[in-house]
Amino acid sequence: MSFLAAFIYRQFIHEPPAPTASFKGRTIIVTGSNSGLGREACRMMVRLGASRVILACRNVDKGKIAAKDIQATTSCSPDMLEVWQLDMSSYASVLAFAEKVNADLPRLDVLLANAGRVTRKFGMTEDNEESITTHVVSLSLLAFLVLPKLRETAMKFNTLTHFTATASELYEVAKFKERKVPDGKIFATLNDKSKANMEDRYNVSKLLLMFVIRQVATMFPLDSRQIIMNCVAPGFCHSELGMNEINGPILSRLVQIVKNILCRPTEVGARTLVYGASAGANTHGQYLPDCKITPMKGLAKGKEGRELQNRVWMELKEKLEQIRPGVTSPS
Ligand SMILES: NC(=O)c1ccc[n+]([C@@H]2O[C@H](COP(=O)([O-])OP(=O)(O)OC[C@H]3O[C@@H](n4cnc5c(N)ncnc54)[C@H](OP(=O)(O)O)[C@@H]3O)[C@@H](O)[C@H]2O)c1
């Protein structure tokens, strides 16, 4: 199916099923959960019986408002919802967050790495353009840092745990011209403001996120750790995504009209996230748009896709090892 045909099918014909999996007794973390899909995913997992849900947000006040809203609509005990500070554009914040996870949580069943942003403005955070720091480097850092806790939980409670990342269907149309450079220069090229194609950057960052999931899943097969690593894509959904870049009341109104025609309700998109966070062993290393295992396409496809993934991984591994030596070989 072409990208356009798949878009039409997804937005107008197919509706992902409401999840029914039980999260009873589970401890869940959702990053970027003060709004949009993350907040709805938290609400859904509370309704499905989760015991402890941690909203990992860069703005704690916004997180507390979201927690209150979830509590009011589900009538859950307020004690089961917590808000922890996490800014994915800061390595120090990711390191501090992971330390708290490892020190304070008796168990961690699901980490839903959902925080994301879209922007046409080029800006650096840490040693990368911000989308790359947030969606790729910090996400990988967080994954490696919490793998021991996910593994410990799986072993102790004889269960499977999940690291699920929110990707986007737009990875499929990433042009990623920055890949056409010698080995070892991809991230440096992505950091070159004078050559940056910011129209393509979100798509590229989500493609790289999918490479991370596939790479880490290959490094840690399911039978070695009992951790399912997968990535989901929610379709085009109502949320706050990109809305801060829409200037002026007329443009805002126009965007709202288009979104009202095209977008899925946030709750419907969030079903795909909750599906990923409860999906079976066969989803390890897989891409799950619309709650189905789907072969990766575009630049992720086939032998060339694996080769590109390998080149990206070689550079990313070096970055991660600089942030925290030994992090890519967790116990
Ligand atoms: N909506 C869609 O159509 C769509 C489609 C495909 C994929 N997605 C993906 O779905 C995920 C959720 O997005 P959404 O649509 O629900 O948009 P949203 O309402 O804007 O939610 C994004 C969340 O990510 C948080 N976030 C952004 N940068 C962060 C950072 N550096 N550290 C920590 N949190 C950060 C935001 O916090 P603040 O409120 O503080 O900014 C917010 O809570 C994103 O990864 C997005 O790329 C969305």
Side-chain angles (χ1 to χ4, degrees), residues 253-281:
R253 188 74 200 116
L254 272 175
V255 170
Q256 210 47 59
I257 291 169
V258 173
K259 286 183 85 171
N260 287 345
I261 297 168
L262 295 179
C263 280
R264 280 176 169 167
T266 320
E267 183 273 333
V268 172
R271 294 175 185 178
T272 65
L273 277 57
V274 175
Y275 172 78
S278 57

Side-chain angles (χ1 to χ4, degrees), residues 40-61:
E40 289 317 308
C42 288
R43 200 189 314 275
M44 229 174 263
M45 290 191 276
V46 166
R47 288 194 172 122
L48 290 166
S51 294
R52 187 172 181 181
V53 175
I54 296 162
L55 287 76
C57 305
R58 63 177 160 180
N59 181 321
V60 170
D61 290 339

